Amino acid sequence: MSLPHAILTALLEKPSSGLELTRRFDRSIGYFWSATHQQIYRELGRLEGEGLIRALPAEQPARGQKKSYEVLPAGRAELARWTAASQDPKPQRDVLLLRLRAAAVVGTEGIEADLRRHLALHQKQLAEYREIEERDFGAGKDSVQDRLQYFVLRAGIDLETFWIHWLIQALEEFGTLPAREGQPGSG
């Protein structure tokens, strides 16, 4: 149930239209909570229907004009309630880990190439996070909002660093595996 809370957070940071929210999800929130354009618009309608947000009055009535939304007091209260509640961590679900487990019984065809592809993707993501860190979190960024947003970015940096180290180790281990009878390529 976190998408509505992600949208409330984004709208409290800055009232936005659905399109602007989609772009902001692509550039920031989407790094740790992704949503499609359709999901965002559907949730905006639901939040508005529940009285948690409202469309801002248009400066000039115009057909087809995009609506911008702001959070109402009930929306702020819901976000504060949700933020204060405890929540257990979710179990790790990663298709690459499952594929490695399956490769142990059906063969490793294609796995090494995909490990290398994942390594490149995580290196690219880490470089992007480092760029955001350098651009947006320099000296003088000491407000509570800045510090908490940086802490979230730090989690992304640390996770990407973990995956890079883990993938390098996995590739090293993969390179030492003997060919097994019955596996593709052992023949």
Side-chain angles (χ1 to χ4, degrees):
M1 193 67 172
S2 295
L3 179 57
H5 300 101
I7 290 172
L8 288 171
T9 299
L11 290 175
L12 278 170
E13 290 172 347
K14 178 182 176 193
S16 304
S17 69
L19 180 59
E20 291 165 337
L21 277 174
T22 299
R23 289 179 180 150
R24 289 175 56 208
F25 264 73
D26 289 344
R27 289 189 318 265
S28 62
I29 293 173
Y31 288 123
F32 56 90
W33 197 269
S34 63
T36 66
H37 183 77
Q38 293 84 2
Q39 289 171 318
I40 290 171
Y41 274 93
R42 188 172 39 247
E43 199 59 50
L44 283 170
R46 188 175 299 131
L47 290 168
E48 188 174 26
E50 292 174 3
L52 301 178
I53 65 171
R54 72 175 178 123
L56 292 169
E59 292 177 15
Q60 299 178 30
R63 187 178 172 151
Q65 183 176 8
K66 61 184 178 183
K67 291 194 275 187
S68 287
Y69 296 89
E70 70 177 354
V71 177
L72 295 171
R76 180 180 284 277
E78 168 53 23
L79 188 59
R81 181 210 59 77
W82 179 77
T83 301
S86 66
Q87 194 170 55
D88 293 337
K90 300 289 182 208
Q92 174 72 24
R93 290 178 60 171
D94 190 285
V95 71
L96 179 62
L97 298 177
L98 181 58
R99 289 178 56 230
L100 280 173
R101 180 76 182 249
V105 293
V106 298
T108 59
E109 184 74 26
I111 296 292
E112 183 176 10
D114 207 35
L115 289 171
R116 292 187 189 290
R117 186 179 72 81
H118 277 254
L119 177 59
L121 291 170
H122 285 287
Q123 288 169 328
K124 180 181 177 192
Q125 188 63 63
L126 179 60
E128 193 171 327
Y129 285 160
R130 294 283 189 199
E131 183 180 307
I132 292 168
E133 179 182 40
E134 188 174 309
R135 181 189 68 222
D136 297 342
F137 294 99
K141 294 287 201 163
D142 293 330
S143 72
V144 170
Q145 183 175 350
D146 290 334
R147 291 173 64 189
L148 291 177
Q149 287 176 346
Y150 178 68
F151 202 57
V152 172
L153 177 63
R154 210 44 248 181
I157 289 169
D158 291 348
L159 284 170
E160 294 304 327
T161 301
F162 161 79
W163 279 112
I164 290 167
H165 289 299
W166 183 87
L167 284 159
I168 289 169
Q169 289 177 333
L171 284 163
E172 288 171 358
E173 182 69 23
F174 197 87
T176 67
L177 296 176
R180 287 188 20 202
E181 288 294 318
Q183 283 194 325
S186 65

